[in-house]
Amino acid sequence: MGEQTMTRDRLTALAAWAVGLAAGAACALWWYNSLWVQSAGNPMALDANENLAALAWVVGWLLIACAACLSAVVLVRAIRRSASRRPILDSVALGVTLLLLVGAVMSAPLWGSASG
């Protein structure tokens, strides 16, 4: 029973990667927000930060896409394994990933952030 408990509560590598990618996406889009959106009133800061902000935005959205794909794989695997055992830590990792992805998307939306 001890070994069964240990394998039941172990976080899978895919779930850990999904959380890591979502955290990276949140950080990249936070960095974009601080470089581009927060310095919108200062034209010199915008010129200096434009390339870094664009890179942070692209990296952030690529990480969001990767984390979402990995989360879908983890969800399918968790559903398949739920009949025999309960993947508690994978479920927690999926929840954390979802929260990070929602926060990242809300900080740098693809639309609705233009000043026009």
Side-chain angles (χ1 to χ4, degrees):
M1 183 168 149
E3 179 156 334
Q4 205 174 31
T5 303
M6 293 218 10
T7 58
R8 182 184 315 157
D9 293 341
R10 189 173 54 191
L11 182 66
T12 62
L14 287 177
W17 271 98
V19 171
L21 289 172
C27 288
L29 291 177
W30 172 81
W31 192 32
Y32 156 77
N33 193 14
S34 65
L35 288 173
W36 189 253
V37 177
Q38 300 299 326
S39 61
N42 186 352
M44 292 190 66
L46 284 176
D47 290 340
N49 297 334
E50 183 175 9
N51 291 335
L52 288 175
L55 179 66
W57 186 85
V58 169
V59 168
W61 279 100
L62 285 173
L63 289 175
I64 282 176
C66 292
C69 290
L70 269 180
S71 294
V73 171
V74 171
L75 180 63
V76 168
R77 290 180 67 184
I79 289 171
R80 283 185 175 174
R81 292 185 311 170
S82 67
S84 62
R85 56 185 175 155
R86 306 194 99 192
I88 296 169
L89 286 179
D90 282 352
S91 300
V92 171
L94 280 172
V96 169
T97 302
L98 180 64
L99 287 174
L100 286 169
L101 289 176
V102 167
V105 169
M106 289 179 65
S107 72
L110 283 174
W111 57 87
S113 61
S115 60

XYZ file of all heavy atoms in Angstrom:
846
model
N 0.817 -1.189 0.000
C 0.000 0.000 0.000
C 0.867 1.262 0.000
O 0.512 2.263 -0.575
C -0.920 -0.002 1.209
C -1.844 1.182 1.213
S -3.099 0.927 2.443
C -3.398 2.574 2.908
N 2.029 1.209 0.627
C 2.908 2.372 0.678
C 3.399 2.771 -0.694
O 3.452 3.939 -1.029
N 3.762 1.799 -1.521
C 4.243 2.124 -2.848
C 3.114 2.638 -3.731
O 3.309 3.519 -4.549
C 4.887 0.896 -3.497
C 5.384 1.202 -4.885
C 6.473 0.265 -5.313
O 7.175 -0.270 -4.442
O 6.609 0.078 -6.508
N 1.938 2.093 -3.563
C 0.805 2.550 -4.337
C 0.475 4.010 -4.010
O 0.160 4.790 -4.893
C -0.397 1.664 -4.034
C -1.405 1.635 -5.138
C -2.482 0.619 -4.834
O -2.799 0.376 -3.671
N -3.036 0.020 -5.862
N 0.598 4.384 -2.772
C 0.353 5.762 -2.370
C 1.404 6.688 -2.966
O 1.096 7.773 -3.421
C 0.368 5.881 -0.832
O -0.599 4.986 -0.309
C 0.054 7.293 -0.390
N 2.652 6.241 -3.006
C 3.720 7.083 -3.549
C 3.524 7.313 -5.042
O 3.717 8.411 -5.521
C 5.079 6.458 -3.285
C 5.403 6.451 -1.825
S 7.081 6.776 -1.357
C 7.946 7.319 -2.729
N 3.166 6.290 -5.803
C 2.999 6.488 -7.237
C 1.730 7.273 -7.550
O 1.668 7.952 -8.541
C 2.953 5.133 -7.973
O 1.884 4.361 -7.444
C 4.255 4.404 -7.841
N 0.739 7.200 -6.692
C -0.509 7.910 -6.931
C -0.309 9.417 -6.799
O -0.901 10.189 -7.537
C -1.569 7.449 -5.939
C -2.891 8.126 -6.170
C -3.918 7.768 -5.152
N -3.940 6.345 -4.881
C -4.391 5.801 -3.790
N -4.837 6.558 -2.816
N -4.392 4.510 -3.616
N 0.502 9.845 -5.875
C 0.647 11.273 -5.596
C 1.864 11.914 -6.260
O 2.246 13.000 -5.905
C 0.744 11.495 -4.091
C -0.559 11.160 -3.399
O -1.593 11.123 -4.085
O -0.532 10.908 -2.195
N 2.455 11.259 -7.222
C 3.641 11.796 -7.882
C 3.236 12.669 -9.071
O 2.389 12.283 -9.872
C 4.534 10.653 -8.338
C 5.878 11.123 -8.825
C 6.773 9.976 -9.110
N 6.119 9.050 -10.035
C 6.569 7.851 -10.311
N 7.652 7.414 -9.733
N 5.935 7.080 -11.161
N 3.838 13.822 -9.157
C 3.590 14.736 -10.261
C 4.299 14.222 -11.502
O 5.483 13.895 -11.459
C 4.102 16.140 -9.902
C 3.887 17.248 -10.914
C 2.403 17.541 -11.069
C 4.617 18.502 -10.474
N 3.599 14.160 -12.622
C 4.229 13.690 -13.852
C 5.091 14.800 -14.454
O 4.894 15.986 -14.173
C 3.177 13.246 -14.878
O 2.360 14.365 -15.210
C 2.329 12.117 -14.339
N 6.014 14.392 -15.290
C 6.916 15.352 -15.917
C 6.151 16.300 -16.848
O 6.463 17.492 -16.921
C 8.009 14.622 -16.683
N 5.156 15.779 -17.546
C 4.386 16.637 -18.446
C 3.638 17.727 -17.687
O 3.575 18.875 -18.135
C 3.389 15.798 -19.244
C 3.972 14.930 -20.350
C 2.871 14.109 -21.009
C 4.680 15.771 -21.384
N 3.074 17.376 -16.544
C 2.370 18.377 -15.745
C 3.345 19.434 -15.223
O 3.028 20.629 -15.207
C 1.631 17.712 -14.594
N 4.519 18.999 -14.811
C 5.527 19.953 -14.330
C 5.976 20.877 -15.458
O 6.143 22.092 -15.250
C 6.715 19.202 -13.744
N 6.151 20.326 -16.648
C 6.526 21.148 -17.803
C 5.419 22.144 -18.141
O 5.693 23.294 -18.498
C 6.829 20.279 -19.023
C 8.251 19.862 -19.101
C 8.782 18.675 -18.701
C 9.331 20.635 -19.604
N 10.127 18.674 -18.923
C 10.491 19.856 -19.480
C 9.431 21.911 -20.147
C 11.740 20.322 -19.879
C 10.676 22.364 -20.546
C 11.802 21.576 -20.405
N 4.167 21.717 -18.059
C 3.048 22.617 -18.358
C 3.028 23.791 -17.389
O 2.845 24.947 -17.796
C 1.722 21.851 -18.311
N 3.231 23.513 -16.107
C 3.273 24.595 -15.119
C 4.463 25.516 -15.390
O 4.343 26.752 -15.335
C 3.331 24.029 -13.688
C 3.583 25.123 -12.674
C 2.047 23.293 -13.349
N 5.611 24.932 -15.689
C 6.803 25.736 -15.972
C 6.635 26.624 -17.200
O 7.021 27.797 -17.190
N 6.056 26.069 -18.254
C 5.832 26.867 -19.460
C 4.808 27.975 -19.218
O 4.964 29.095 -19.716
C 5.376 25.967 -20.611
C 6.444 25.038 -21.191
C 5.811 24.069 -22.175
C 7.542 25.831 -21.862
N 3.773 27.671 -18.461
C 2.779 28.700 -18.147
C 3.394 29.804 -17.288
O 3.100 30.987 -17.478
C 1.576 28.074 -17.442
N 4.241 29.428 -16.347
C 4.924 30.440 -15.525
C 5.861 31.280 -16.382
O 5.944 32.509 -16.214
C 5.688 29.765 -14.388
N 6.562 30.643 -17.311
C 7.425 31.386 -18.228
C 6.630 32.344 -19.107
O 7.060 33.471 -19.362
N 5.467 31.903 -19.559
C 4.610 32.770 -20.369
C 4.126 33.966 -19.560
O 4.121 35.098 -20.055
C 3.416 31.973 -20.898
N 3.730 33.713 -18.328
C 3.280 34.816 -17.476
C 4.406 35.816 -17.242
O 4.186 37.028 -17.284
C 2.751 34.271 -16.155
N 5.609 35.315 -17.008
C 6.757 36.215 -16.798
C 7.083 37.003 -18.063
O 7.360 38.209 -17.997
C 7.974 35.414 -16.357
S 7.862 34.791 -14.687
N 7.072 36.335 -19.220
C 7.393 37.015 -20.472
C 6.366 38.091 -20.788
O 6.728 39.200 -21.205
C 7.472 36.011 -21.617
N 5.089 37.803 -20.578
C 4.069 38.803 -20.870
C 4.029 39.906 -19.812
O 3.675 41.051 -20.117
C 2.709 38.137 -21.034
C 2.607 37.281 -22.300
C 1.276 36.581 -22.371
C 2.847 38.101 -23.553
N 4.422 39.594 -18.588
C 4.570 40.647 -17.579
C 5.710 41.576 -17.992
O 5.614 42.796 -17.866
C 4.859 40.038 -16.213
C 5.215 41.069 -15.195
C 4.366 41.858 -14.490
C 6.532 41.463 -14.813
N 5.078 42.708 -13.680
C 6.415 42.485 -13.862
C 7.808 41.035 -15.184
C 7.520 43.087 -13.282
C 8.911 41.642 -14.603
C 8.750 42.654 -13.662
N 6.801 40.984 -18.504
C 7.935 41.781 -18.954
C 7.527 42.653 -20.130
O 7.886 43.823 -20.209
C 9.083 40.846 -19.312
C 10.397 41.527 -19.523
C 10.852 42.642 -18.909
C 11.416 41.122 -20.428
N 12.101 42.952 -19.366
C 12.464 42.031 -20.301
C 11.542 40.074 -21.317
C 13.628 41.923 -21.049
C 12.708 39.963 -22.047
C 13.731 40.874 -21.912
N 6.769 42.092 -21.065
C 6.252 42.889 -22.189
C 5.419 44.060 -21.671
O 5.566 45.186 -22.133
C 5.407 41.999 -23.112
C 4.401 42.766 -23.920
C 4.788 43.483 -25.040
C 3.055 42.795 -23.558
C 3.867 44.209 -25.785
C 2.133 43.515 -24.284
C 2.543 44.217 -25.396
O 1.631 44.938 -26.117
N 4.558 43.769 -20.717
C 3.687 44.802 -20.164
C 4.506 45.915 -19.517
O 4.215 47.093 -19.679
C 2.717 44.176 -19.161
C 1.596 45.103 -18.796
O 1.360 46.106 -19.445
N 0.895 44.770 -17.728
N 5.550 45.546 -18.792
C 6.355 46.569 -18.126
C 7.223 47.342 -19.120
O 7.480 48.526 -18.920
C 7.223 45.944 -17.035
O 8.178 45.077 -17.596
N 7.656 46.697 -20.202
C 8.487 47.394 -21.188
C 7.676 48.265 -22.140
O 8.121 49.340 -22.535
C 9.282 46.378 -22.025
C 10.434 45.664 -21.344
C 10.988 44.591 -22.260
C 11.523 46.650 -20.968
N 6.508 47.806 -22.523
C 5.772 48.482 -23.579
C 4.581 49.280 -23.057
O 4.471 50.474 -23.309
C 5.296 47.444 -24.593
C 4.723 48.054 -25.815
C 3.410 48.091 -26.157
C 5.422 48.738 -26.857
N 3.253 48.748 -27.347
C 4.472 49.151 -27.798
C 6.752 49.045 -27.073
C 4.820 49.851 -28.950
C 7.097 49.741 -28.218
C 6.137 50.134 -29.137
N 3.708 48.646 -22.343
C 2.469 49.296 -21.935
C 2.726 50.336 -20.855
O 2.200 51.449 -20.922
C 1.437 48.245 -21.466
C 0.170 48.906 -20.974
C 1.135 47.273 -22.591
N 3.544 50.007 -19.875
C 3.780 50.933 -18.766
C 4.595 52.153 -19.178
O 4.503 53.191 -18.548
C 4.488 50.209 -17.604
C 3.697 49.059 -17.042
C 2.358 49.492 -16.471
O 2.223 50.568 -15.924
N 1.365 48.640 -16.609
N 5.397 52.039 -20.246
C 6.207 53.182 -20.678
C 5.577 53.895 -21.870
O 6.271 54.566 -22.624
C 7.622 52.726 -21.021
O 7.596 51.781 -22.074
N 4.270 53.780 -22.047
C 3.593 54.358 -23.209
C 3.642 55.885 -23.224
O 3.564 56.483 -24.278
C 2.141 53.877 -23.257
N 3.782 56.521 -22.099
C 3.812 57.981 -22.062
C 5.170 58.575 -22.372
O 5.293 59.775 -22.558
N 6.190 57.751 -22.472
C 7.546 58.231 -22.689
C 8.047 57.729 -24.045
O 8.435 56.579 -24.177
C 8.447 57.733 -21.559
C 9.834 58.307 -21.629
O 10.204 58.975 -22.583
N 10.607 58.034 -20.597
N 8.074 58.588 -25.086
C 8.476 58.131 -26.424
C 9.903 57.580 -26.484
O 10.170 56.637 -27.226
C 8.346 59.386 -27.286
C 7.462 60.297 -26.539
C 7.635 59.968 -25.090
N 10.812 58.127 -25.700
C 12.189 57.625 -25.736
C 12.264 56.213 -25.147
O 12.998 55.367 -25.633
C 13.124 58.580 -25.002
C 13.264 59.907 -25.726
S 14.546 60.941 -25.052
C 15.974 60.001 -25.440
N 11.508 55.973 -24.105
C 11.479 54.634 -23.509
C 10.836 53.639 -24.466
O 11.272 52.482 -24.553
C 10.737 54.650 -22.181
N 9.814 54.083 -25.193
C 9.185 53.189 -26.166
C 10.155 52.806 -27.271
O 10.214 51.646 -27.677
C 7.948 53.851 -26.781
C 6.704 53.889 -25.914
C 5.593 54.665 -26.610
C 6.239 52.490 -25.594
N 10.924 53.755 -27.765
C 11.895 53.459 -28.812
C 12.978 52.507 -28.313
O 13.384 51.597 -29.030
C 12.549 54.747 -29.326
C 11.585 55.607 -30.121
O 10.561 55.067 -30.601
O 11.847 56.815 -30.261
N 13.434 52.728 -27.099
C 14.502 51.893 -26.557
C 14.017 50.476 -26.247
O 14.775 49.519 -26.365
C 15.072 52.533 -25.291
N 12.772 50.339 -25.860
C 12.261 49.046 -25.415
C 11.483 48.278 -26.474
O 11.006 47.180 -26.203
C 11.353 49.237 -24.201
C 12.094 49.794 -23.021
O 13.292 49.616 -22.889
N 11.379 50.484 -22.160
N 11.349 48.836 -27.657
C 10.459 48.231 -28.656
C 10.876 46.814 -29.037
O 10.045 45.902 -29.066
C 10.402 49.109 -29.903
C 9.439 48.584 -30.948
C 9.306 49.525 -32.123
O 10.063 50.504 -32.224
O 8.433 49.253 -32.957
N 12.141 46.588 -29.321
C 12.584 45.256 -29.733
C 12.458 44.232 -28.610
O 12.013 43.103 -28.842
C 14.034 45.303 -30.228
C 14.171 46.047 -31.537
O 13.215 46.134 -32.305
N 15.346 46.585 -31.791
N 12.836 44.621 -27.401
C 12.701 43.698 -26.272
C 11.247 43.391 -25.961
O 10.895 42.262 -25.645
C 13.391 44.273 -25.036
C 14.916 44.289 -25.067
C 15.445 44.994 -23.827
C 15.455 42.884 -25.148
N 10.394 44.410 -26.065
C 8.975 44.197 -25.796
C 8.358 43.266 -26.832
O 7.581 42.372 -26.483
C 8.237 45.534 -25.771
N 8.718 43.450 -28.097
C 8.188 42.570 -29.147
C 8.670 41.137 -28.944
O 7.891 40.182 -29.093
C 8.611 43.084 -30.519
N 9.928 40.973 -28.585
C 10.461 39.635 -28.326
C 9.756 38.986 -27.135
O 9.376 37.807 -27.191
C 11.966 39.702 -28.073
C 12.649 38.377 -27.759
C 12.608 37.452 -28.956
C 14.072 38.624 -27.311
N 9.552 39.741 -26.078
C 8.861 39.210 -24.896
C 7.427 38.819 -25.234
O 6.927 37.790 -24.763
C 8.886 40.235 -23.760
N 6.751 39.600 -26.067
C 5.379 39.291 -26.454
C 5.316 38.002 -27.264
O 4.481 37.128 -26.999
C 4.812 40.458 -27.264
C 3.372 40.316 -27.598
C 2.316 40.656 -26.811
C 2.810 39.799 -28.806
N 1.137 40.384 -27.463
C 1.423 39.853 -28.680
C 3.366 39.298 -29.973
C 0.568 39.429 -29.688
C 2.516 38.862 -30.968
C 1.133 38.930 -30.829
N 6.209 37.866 -28.237
C 6.217 36.657 -29.082
C 6.560 35.427 -28.248
O 5.889 34.387 -28.345
C 7.204 36.825 -30.260
C 7.430 35.514 -30.985
C 6.696 37.874 -31.227
N 7.591 35.525 -27.417
C 7.974 34.394 -26.568
C 6.844 34.033 -25.612
O 6.534 32.851 -25.410
C 9.285 34.704 -25.807
C 9.552 33.692 -24.711
C 10.452 34.747 -26.777
N 6.208 35.034 -25.039
C 5.105 34.778 -24.121
C 3.965 34.020 -24.781
O 3.454 33.045 -24.227
N 3.576 34.445 -25.974
C 2.479 33.759 -26.644
C 2.874 32.382 -27.147
O 2.043 31.459 -27.166
C 1.911 34.625 -27.764
C 0.972 35.632 -27.178
C 1.229 36.940 -26.904
C -0.357 35.380 -26.727
N 0.136 37.522 -26.313
C -0.855 36.592 -26.200
C -1.178 34.266 -26.712
C -2.135 36.703 -25.674
C -2.452 34.380 -26.188
C -2.919 35.588 -25.678
N 4.126 32.190 -27.544
C 4.583 30.840 -27.906
C 4.561 29.910 -26.694
O 4.153 28.742 -26.800
C 5.989 30.889 -28.505
C 6.094 31.411 -29.928
C 7.553 31.558 -30.339
C 5.358 30.499 -30.887
N 4.980 30.422 -25.550
C 4.938 29.613 -24.334
C 3.505 29.301 -23.917
O 3.226 28.208 -23.403
C 5.691 30.309 -23.204
C 7.219 30.358 -23.353
C 7.826 31.178 -22.228
C 7.800 28.977 -23.410
N 2.592 30.241 -24.137
C 1.177 29.974 -23.841
C 0.672 28.834 -24.710
O -0.018 27.928 -24.232
C 0.325 31.246 -24.043
C 0.503 32.179 -22.856
C -1.152 30.904 -24.227
C -0.224 33.487 -22.996
N 1.004 28.860 -25.993
C 0.550 27.804 -26.894
C 1.121 26.449 -26.476
O 0.392 25.442 -26.444
C 0.955 28.136 -28.327
N 2.401 26.420 -26.138
C 3.025 25.157 -25.708
C 2.420 24.654 -24.399
O 2.148 23.458 -24.253
C 4.530 25.337 -25.559
S 5.372 25.614 -27.120
N 2.210 25.542 -23.454
C 1.636 25.141 -22.172
C 0.199 24.652 -22.340
O -0.213 23.692 -21.686
C 1.677 26.316 -21.186
N -0.556 25.287 -23.221
C -1.932 24.846 -23.459
C -1.963 23.462 -24.095
O -2.782 22.615 -23.711
C -2.657 25.860 -24.342
N -1.066 23.207 -25.046
C -1.001 21.879 -25.674
C -0.591 20.814 -24.656
O -1.191 19.731 -24.616
C -0.032 21.892 -26.853
S -0.629 22.841 -28.254
N 0.411 21.101 -23.854
C 0.820 20.138 -22.829
C -0.281 19.917 -21.802
O -0.483 18.790 -21.338
C 2.083 20.620 -22.126
C 3.400 20.154 -22.713
C 4.558 20.723 -21.909
C 3.486 18.670 -22.775
N -1.000 20.956 -21.465
C -2.099 20.812 -20.515
C -3.187 19.912 -21.074
O -3.792 19.129 -20.331
C -2.690 22.173 -20.163
O -1.751 22.941 -19.476
N -3.449 20.019 -22.359
C -4.446 19.140 -22.975
C -4.005 17.683 -22.909
O -4.808 16.792 -22.610
C -4.689 19.558 -24.422
N -2.711 17.436 -23.142
C -2.190 16.074 -23.048
C -2.284 15.560 -21.608
O -2.702 14.424 -21.365
C -0.730 16.018 -23.557
C -0.096 14.672 -23.265
C -0.679 16.323 -25.038
N -1.918 16.396 -20.656
C -1.995 16.005 -19.242
C -3.443 15.732 -18.844
O -3.725 14.776 -18.115
C -1.360 17.087 -18.342
C -1.633 16.815 -16.880
C 0.132 17.171 -18.594
N -4.367 16.549 -19.321
C -5.779 16.349 -19.006
C -6.284 15.017 -19.551
O -6.963 14.269 -18.847
C -6.610 17.503 -19.560
C -8.114 17.440 -19.302
C -8.387 17.492 -17.804
C -8.811 18.564 -20.028
N -5.935 14.695 -20.792
C -6.358 13.420 -21.380
C -5.767 12.254 -20.595
O -6.463 11.274 -20.291
C -5.965 13.361 -22.876
C -6.112 11.952 -23.433
C -6.796 14.348 -23.681
N -4.491 12.356 -20.247
C -3.856 11.276 -19.480
C -4.462 11.161 -18.082
O -4.637 10.057 -17.570
C -2.356 11.511 -19.377
C -1.656 11.309 -20.716
C -0.197 11.529 -20.611
N 0.371 10.458 -19.774
C 1.628 10.398 -19.422
N 2.450 11.335 -19.794
N 2.065 9.408 -18.679
N -4.798 12.276 -17.469
C -5.402 12.234 -16.133
C -6.797 11.611 -16.184
O -7.175 10.856 -15.291
C -5.465 13.636 -15.540
N -7.546 11.918 -17.235
C -8.870 11.321 -17.381
C -8.760 9.816 -17.590
O -9.515 9.043 -17.004
C -9.644 12.000 -18.540
C -10.029 13.416 -18.135
C -10.875 11.192 -18.925
C -10.597 14.243 -19.260
N -7.803 9.389 -18.391
C -7.611 7.959 -18.629
C -7.206 7.222 -17.352
O -7.626 6.102 -17.123
C -6.544 7.721 -19.690
C -7.008 7.964 -21.075
C -5.917 7.593 -22.028
N -6.366 7.712 -23.403
C -5.589 7.554 -24.432
N -4.307 7.269 -24.260
N -6.067 7.664 -25.646
N -6.363 7.843 -16.540
C -5.873 7.186 -15.332
C -6.813 7.330 -14.147
O -6.629 6.683 -13.125
C -4.506 7.744 -14.938
C -3.427 7.385 -15.917
C -2.102 7.845 -15.436
N -2.181 9.257 -15.016
C -1.233 9.878 -14.383
N -0.146 9.251 -14.059
N -1.359 11.140 -14.058
N -7.816 8.180 -14.268
C -8.669 8.430 -13.114
C -9.507 7.220 -12.718
O -9.966 7.131 -11.582
C -9.574 9.633 -13.366
O -10.500 9.335 -14.391
N -9.718 6.297 -13.623
C -10.497 5.101 -13.285
C -9.736 4.211 -12.308
O -10.319 3.648 -11.392
C -10.840 4.328 -14.551
N -8.429 4.103 -12.488
C -7.650 3.211 -11.629
C -7.063 3.923 -10.411
O -6.894 3.318 -9.368
C -6.523 2.559 -12.437
O -5.653 3.553 -12.920
N -6.723 5.186 -10.554
C -6.160 5.946 -9.428
C -6.460 7.426 -9.628
O -6.752 7.857 -10.733
C -4.673 5.706 -9.285
C -3.896 6.024 -10.537
C -2.467 5.662 -10.368
N -1.783 5.876 -11.636
C -0.530 6.107 -11.749
N 0.225 6.146 -10.682
N 0.015 6.288 -12.913
N -6.336 8.175 -8.592
C -6.664 9.600 -8.659
C -5.386 10.417 -8.811
O -4.573 10.470 -7.908
C -7.399 10.020 -7.402
C -8.605 9.137 -7.148
C -9.473 9.737 -6.152
N -10.519 10.369 -6.947
C -11.383 11.216 -6.474
N -11.336 11.584 -5.238
N -12.313 11.723 -7.233
N -5.205 11.072 -9.941
C -4.012 11.910 -10.157
C -4.158 13.274 -9.486
O -4.426 14.279 -10.138
C -3.939 12.017 -11.677
C -5.349 11.856 -12.128
C -6.018 10.953 -11.131
N -3.979 13.310 -8.176
C -4.235 14.531 -7.412
C -3.262 15.642 -7.788
O -3.676 16.768 -8.068
C -4.168 14.228 -5.901
C -5.285 13.258 -5.530
C -4.273 15.503 -5.084
C -5.161 12.683 -4.150
N -1.975 15.332 -7.818
C -0.999 16.384 -8.113
C -1.096 16.859 -9.554
O -0.876 18.041 -9.838
C 0.412 15.895 -7.804
C 0.743 15.805 -6.318
C 2.155 15.291 -6.112
C 0.584 17.151 -5.650
N -1.427 15.961 -10.478
C -1.629 16.399 -11.854
C -2.832 17.337 -11.951
O -2.812 18.306 -12.701
C -1.828 15.204 -12.778
C -0.523 14.517 -13.125
O 0.540 15.061 -12.766
O -0.573 13.449 -13.752
N -3.867 17.069 -11.195
C -5.037 17.943 -11.192
C -4.690 19.314 -10.613
O -5.120 20.345 -11.137
C -6.161 17.318 -10.376
O -6.533 16.085 -10.920
N -3.894 19.326 -9.572
C -3.443 20.597 -8.994
C -2.569 21.342 -10.003
O -2.706 22.559 -10.180
C -2.682 20.349 -7.672
C -2.014 21.610 -7.180
C -3.628 19.793 -6.619
N -1.685 20.617 -10.680
C -0.821 21.243 -11.685
C -1.651 21.818 -12.827
O -1.345 22.907 -13.337
C 0.192 20.237 -12.218
N -2.701 21.110 -13.240
C -3.571 21.642 -14.288
C -4.274 22.918 -13.828
O -4.407 23.877 -14.594
C -4.607 20.599 -14.695
C -4.114 19.534 -15.659
C -5.166 18.454 -15.818
C -3.765 20.137 -16.994
N -4.712 22.954 -12.580
C -5.347 24.152 -12.053
C -4.392 25.335 -12.003
O -4.750 26.452 -12.387
N -3.173 25.081 -11.541
C -2.163 26.151 -11.485
C -1.831 26.637 -12.890
O -1.721 27.844 -13.142
C -0.900 25.651 -10.747
C 0.245 26.621 -10.896
C -1.210 25.411 -9.285
N -1.686 25.702 -13.825
C -1.402 26.070 -15.213
C -2.519 26.920 -15.790
O -2.270 27.935 -16.444
C -1.201 24.806 -16.070
O -0.143 24.030 -15.522
C -0.872 25.153 -17.506
N -3.755 26.528 -15.536
C -4.894 27.290 -16.036
C -4.908 28.702 -15.463
O -5.120 29.677 -16.194
C -6.199 26.570 -15.708
C -7.474 27.256 -16.170
C -7.519 27.340 -17.679
C -8.683 26.529 -15.644
N -4.661 28.829 -14.171
C -4.623 30.165 -13.555
C -3.506 31.022 -14.143
O -3.703 32.216 -14.413
C -4.456 30.047 -12.052
C -5.682 29.564 -11.278
C -5.324 29.354 -9.814
C -6.817 30.548 -11.411
N -2.331 30.432 -14.342
C -1.222 31.184 -14.927
C -1.526 31.601 -16.359
O -1.219 32.724 -16.774
C 0.061 30.354 -14.882
C 0.720 30.216 -13.516
C 1.809 29.157 -13.557
C 1.307 31.547 -13.080
N -2.135 30.703 -17.136
C -2.464 31.036 -18.519
C -3.518 32.143 -18.593
O -3.401 33.065 -19.402
C -2.946 29.795 -19.265
C -1.882 28.748 -19.562
C -2.505 27.532 -20.216
C -0.785 29.320 -20.436
N -4.534 32.069 -17.756
C -5.561 33.108 -17.747
C -4.953 34.445 -17.339
O -5.227 35.486 -17.951
C -6.734 32.716 -16.822
C -7.650 33.883 -16.550
C -7.512 31.561 -17.433
N -4.104 34.441 -16.330
C -3.443 35.676 -15.914
C -2.555 36.248 -16.999
O -2.529 37.464 -17.220
N -1.834 35.378 -17.702
C -0.958 35.843 -18.780
C -1.766 36.426 -19.927
O -1.423 37.485 -20.467
C -0.083 34.692 -19.271
N -2.842 35.762 -20.309
C -3.675 36.260 -21.404
C -4.334 37.585 -21.026
O -4.449 38.493 -21.852
C -4.730 35.201 -21.802
C -5.763 35.768 -22.742
C -4.040 34.001 -22.438
N -4.743 37.715 -19.783
C -5.369 38.972 -19.350
C -4.355 40.113 -19.289
O -4.716 41.274 -19.490
C -6.043 38.780 -18.006
C -7.292 37.932 -18.097
S -8.098 37.679 -16.517
C -8.605 39.337 -16.122
N -3.094 39.817 -19.057
C -2.094 40.883 -18.974
C -1.679 41.390 -20.338
O -1.268 42.540 -20.468
C -0.859 40.397 -18.198
O -0.125 39.478 -18.978
N -1.776 40.565 -21.373
C -1.396 40.987 -22.724
C -2.339 40.351 -23.731
O -1.984 39.412 -24.424
C 0.038 40.588 -23.019
N -3.570 40.856 -23.830
C -4.532 40.243 -24.748
C -4.134 40.435 -26.210
O -3.428 41.377 -26.545
C -5.836 40.966 -24.425
C -5.423 42.245 -23.828
C -4.126 41.993 -23.132
N -4.593 39.519 -27.046
C -4.292 39.630 -28.468
C -5.084 40.742 -29.139
O -4.684 41.275 -30.155
C -4.590 38.305 -29.172
C -3.559 37.209 -28.966
C -4.047 35.914 -29.587
C -2.234 37.599 -29.550
N -6.227 41.090 -28.604
C -7.055 42.142 -29.175
C -7.652 42.981 -28.048
O -7.681 42.553 -26.911
C -8.165 41.554 -30.050
C -9.029 40.606 -29.313
C -10.135 40.906 -28.569
C -8.857 39.205 -29.197
N -10.649 39.782 -28.007
C -9.875 38.707 -28.383
C -7.923 38.311 -29.710
C -10.009 37.373 -28.070
C -8.058 36.970 -29.381
C -9.085 36.522 -28.580
N -8.099 44.152 -28.406
C -8.751 45.022 -27.431
C -7.801 45.892 -26.646
O -8.211 46.586 -25.720
N -6.512 45.871 -26.970
C -5.572 46.688 -26.222
C -5.039 47.868 -27.029
O -4.163 48.574 -26.568
C -4.393 45.831 -25.740
O -3.712 45.282 -26.858
N -5.572 48.078 -28.215
C -5.113 49.196 -29.050
C -5.720 50.502 -28.542
O -6.747 50.516 -27.872
C -5.508 48.950 -30.503
N -5.065 51.581 -28.869
C -5.547 52.885 -28.392
C -6.243 53.608 -29.540
O -5.840 54.666 -29.956
C -4.385 53.712 -27.868
O -3.452 53.921 -28.900
N -7.282 53.033 -30.064
C -7.904 53.679 -31.201
C -9.340 53.774 -31.173
O -10.248 53.556 -30.643
